[in-house]
Amino acid sequence: MTGSDAPSSFRLAYVPGVTPGKWVRIWNERLPDVPLHLRTVPSAEAADLLRRGEADAGFLRLPADRAELSVIPLYTETTVVVVPKEHAVAAVDEVAPEELADEIVLHPLDDVLPWERPPGRPARERPATTADAVELVAAGVGLLVVPQSLARLHHRRDLTYRPMPGAAESRVGLAWPEERTTDQVEDFIGIVRGRTVNSSRGRPTPPQPKAKPKPKRADAGGAGRAGTAGRNARRGGPKGDRRGKPRRRSR
């Protein structure tokens, strides 16, 4: 879909924790006539929403089923453990997964980390959402391991978090329906990848009017020689030629 068939707006979906503000700002600067509409979608539903054509592109968490989707991996998040501020973990700079072996670690149903085996001891029941799990951490029921962006999203003054090297990690990517790679999708890919406005896939700048050709100078072998001949005639011939006037003999 190109040219006049392109849509008059761009629909961008994103999962919780992703902050698309910087890319949206660049879009609005480069394409002010194409409104960008944002839509938050649960991580588990993002890929299907794109396949249904309810968004032109979206930021989702990987791995994702790439059937019918094109995906560009973008970055990997730091994994952290969320704890009450008075917890012993809050006194260290980072914690390894095995150090939580005796702790109850909550594992919500919407967990986005690709665990082979979650750390710690499981709670009696799994919280429905990450937001519910955060409330349970605040109540002292257990700890929670999440990508750092989700710890920030659900920040509370009575909680803190610490990095957990060696734990499962969440990767974020940009995806769109492969059969609907529109001009607007290409524009957004260029923005996310940091292309400048004049790059090969950026919007080209308007063509500048061509400068009018300068008039040609007179041919050096024609008018030029004629002008020189005229000057020589007035001066009595070329420089050093004194035949213009007869010389008088001295007596």
Side-chain angles (χ1 to χ4, degrees):
M1 186 183 299
T2 57
S4 59
D5 296 329
S8 58
S9 64
F10 186 71
R11 301 164 301 165
L12 178 66
Y14 65 100
V15 298
V18 175
T19 52
K22 63 179 180 180
W23 298 305
V24 172
R25 184 167 56 253
I26 296 173
W27 175 278
N28 291 334
E29 292 172 355
R30 293 188 186 179
L31 295 97
D33 298 330
V34 184
L36 189 152
H37 303 295
L38 290 171
R39 177 174 177 178
T40 308
V41 58
S43 294
E45 301 175 15
D48 286 339
L49 180 137
L50 292 172
R51 293 190 189 95
R52 293 194 301 267
E54 296 179 22
D56 300 300
F59 293 106
L60 43 69
R61 294 190 181 274
L62 308 178
D65 183 359
R66 299 196 179 195
E68 304 176 27
L69 296 179
S70 294
V71 179
I72 300 175
L74 297 177
Y75 59 89
T76 300
E77 284 204 64
T78 299
T79 300
V80 301
V81 56
V82 181
V83 301
K85 282 191 172 180
E86 66 274 9
H87 195 280
V89 168
V92 300
D93 293 331
E94 59 185 33
V95 59
E98 57 270 19
E99 295 181 76
L100 301 182
D102 296 330
E103 300 282 352
I104 293 178
V105 177
L106 304 167
H107 188 205
L109 295 175
D110 66 353
D111 190 2
V112 298
L113 294 172
W115 295 111
E116 292 184 5
R117 183 183 180 280
R121 296 185 293 121
R124 185 171 300 177
E125 294 183 6
R126 293 182 63 182
T129 66
T130 298
D132 293 335
V134 170
E135 294 294 331
L136 293 174
V137 173
V141 174
L143 310 182
L144 175 65
V145 180
V146 290
Q148 183 171 306
S149 66
L150 291 181
R152 290 174 175 171
L153 179 65
H154 298 287
H155 172 71
R156 289 176 51 122
R157 295 179 62 182
D158 54 348
L159 301 180
T160 188
Y161 58 83
R162 293 292 182 268
M164 183 178 283
E169 295 176 321
S170 173
R171 294 180 299 145
V172 174
L174 176 66
W176 67 94
E178 187 173 356
E179 295 183 356
R180 293 191 293 275
T181 307
T182 64
D183 286 347
Q184 280 75 18
V185 170
E186 291 284 9
D187 286 331
F188 194 75
I189 292 170
I191 289 172
V192 171
R193 284 184 159 174
R195 297 191 188 115
T196 63
V197 68
N198 293 322
S199 63
S200 60
R201 294 203 180 193
R203 287 295 180 97
T205 54
Q208 300 296 321
K210 293 183 179 180
K212 293 182 179 180
K214 295 181 180 180
K216 294 182 178 180
R217 299 180 61 183
D219 187 286
R225 283 199 298 267
T228 301
R231 288 194 298 272
N232 288 340
R234 289 193 299 272
R235 295 175 182 174
K239 183 178 180 181
D241 186 356
R242 300 191 177 185
R243 290 177 295 177
K245 292 183 180 181
R247 298 181 63 185
R248 296 178 63 184
R249 295 182 180 179
S250 61
R251 294 181 179 179

